């Protein structure tokens, strides 16, 4: 592993493969969860629902010393228009790939059944109910974080949750990830936590594998902070670490 430091509060760590990337990200998130439970008796986290995070969640479930009954899990986006039972819904994906492995954790999915506005209001209240200790997130091929897509992403959005129209690149990525059979099946609208809502987390742990993300990782490190590459907003954060595999780092200068 080697790391590239952009500023004292922001680090990017390059790992040899996805497994080591996931293990390192999980260790970082686990340390923050343990500290919060020790300090406050409880911890709150936000988790991305994406195949890119599978290695992180598998490793996190094996981390020792976390009393998951004291952890509340929220997530960061949800499609509009899919049936409640659809496996592509991010709440259902997280139940299968994260919650099932961390017995006892309290999970609050984004519930869209009563309509977008009701879900926005409910989740805004949940987010403000206490501090967010750690956010486990990824970066999209177009540089999105959650469903804050370029170029419409608002880096200083006053809202915590909003309805968005999905960029085609985001929808194509869902097909490429194997979540949908074709582009027509991917919903066009979703709810997302905004960039400021994500950045309110005390510790951001971002895991980005795959050569398809190499251009986004390059932009993260080299482009100006702007809605053209929403992921660049991560460089504003006081405690953000990004873990990538060698494929995702392939467009970065090799520094040790």
């Amino acid at each position: 592993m080697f790391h590239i430091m952009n500023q004292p509060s922001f680090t990017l760590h390059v790992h040899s493969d996805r497994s080591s990337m996931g293990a390192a990200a999980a260790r970082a998130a686990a340390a923050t969860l343990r500290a919060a439970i020790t300090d406050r008796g409880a911890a709150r986290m936000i988790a991305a629902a994406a195949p890119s995070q599978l290695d992180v969640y598998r490793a996190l479930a094996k981390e020792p010393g976390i009393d998951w009954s004291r952890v509340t899990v929220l997530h960061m986006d949800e499609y509009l228009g899919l049936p409640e039972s659809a496996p592509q819904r991010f709440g259902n994906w997280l139940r299968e790939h994260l919650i099932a492995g961390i017995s006892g954790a309290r999970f609050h999915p984004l519930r869209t059944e009563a309509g977008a506005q009701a879900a926005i209001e409910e989740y805004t209240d949940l987010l403000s109910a206490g501090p967010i200790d750690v956010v486990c997130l990824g970066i999209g091929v177009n540089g999105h974080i959650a469903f804050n897509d370029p170029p419409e992403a608002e880096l200083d959005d006053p809202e915590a949750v909003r309805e968005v129209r999905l960029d085609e690149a985001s929808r194509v990525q869902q097909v490429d990830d194997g979540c949908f059979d074709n582009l027509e099946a991917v919903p066009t609208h979703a709810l997302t936590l905004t960039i400021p809502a994500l950045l309110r987390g005390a510790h951001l742990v971002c895991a980005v594998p795959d050569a398809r993300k190499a251009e986004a990782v390059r932009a993260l490190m080299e482009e100006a902070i702007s809605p053209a590459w929403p992921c660049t907003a991560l460089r504003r954060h006081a405690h953000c670490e990004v873990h990538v595999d060698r494929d995702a780092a392939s467009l970065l200068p090799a520094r040790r």
Side-chain angles (χ1 to χ4, degrees):
M1 180 188 81
F2 65 95
H3 72 269
I4 300 169
M5 182 170 287
N6 187 62
Q7 56 191 42
S9 60
F10 178 93
T11 53
L12 185 142
H13 306 266
V14 180
H15 303 271
S16 59
D17 53 40
R18 290 179 67 131
S19 179
S20 56
M21 176 209 71
R27 285 194 299 271
T32 295
L33 292 172
R34 292 188 202 100
I37 292 169
T38 297
D39 292 345
R40 293 200 323 275
R44 284 163 40 100
M45 68 178 290
I46 296 173
S52 63
Q53 305 305 300
L54 281 172
D55 296 280
V56 180
Y57 297 154
R58 288 167 182 157
L60 186 59
K62 297 176 183 177
E63 279 288 322
I66 301 173
D67 183 351
W68 288 106
S69 69
R70 297 180 179 271
V71 178
T72 297
V73 181
L74 298 97
H75 62 120
M76 55 186 64
D77 42 21
E78 185 59 272
Y79 293 116
L80 292 173
L82 287 181
E84 186 175 357
S85 61
Q88 296 95 340
R89 283 179 63 108
F90 292 136
N92 294 336
W93 190 96
L94 280 170
R95 284 190 183 94
E96 178 180 355
H97 296 290
L98 174 61
I99 304 305
I102 52 173
S103 178
R106 291 179 293 279
F107 178 50
H108 295 289
L110 261 162
R111 300 188 303 168
T112 61
E113 294 72 38
Q117 188 56 40
I120 288 170
E121 292 173 3
E122 178 183 53
Y123 230 64
T124 298
D125 289 343
L126 282 169
L127 289 166
S128 63
I132 300 297
D133 299 292
V134 65
V135 180
C136 293
L137 71 158
I139 295 174
V141 294
N142 62 353
H144 72 222
I145 51 177
F147 268 141
N148 297 285
D149 283 326
E152 287 81 13
E154 296 186 41
L155 303 192
D156 298 305
D157 198 318
E159 304 298 326
V161 188
R162 70 166 57 250
E163 181 177 348
V164 293
R165 181 175 180 85
L166 300 182
D167 181 75
E168 184 169 325
S170 286
R171 297 175 66 230
V172 169
Q173 181 180 325
Q174 302 306 313
V175 178
D176 292 342
D177 283 347
C179 300
F180 292 88
D181 292 335
N182 53 66
L183 185 62
E184 291 70 29
V186 184
T188 59
H189 290 75
L191 299 183
T192 186
L193 272 62
T194 62
I195 290 173
L198 296 171
L199 268 57
R200 287 186 197 113
H203 182 195
L204 307 187
V205 179
C206 185
V208 192
D210 198 325
R212 290 183 298 147
K213 306 290 184 70
E215 178 62 11
V217 170
R218 182 209 61 77
L220 168 68
M221 301 302 292
E222 297 179 357
E223 296 293 333
I225 296 174
S226 80
W229 290 99
C231 60
T232 56
L234 297 177
R235 303 206 312 261
R236 291 180 170 181
H237 197 267
H239 187 193
C240 177
E241 55 187 279
V242 181
H243 296 267
V244 304
D245 65 5
R246 287 192 181 276
D247 290 338
S250 61
L251 298 182
L252 297 176
R255 284 182 274 174
R256 295 185 179 271

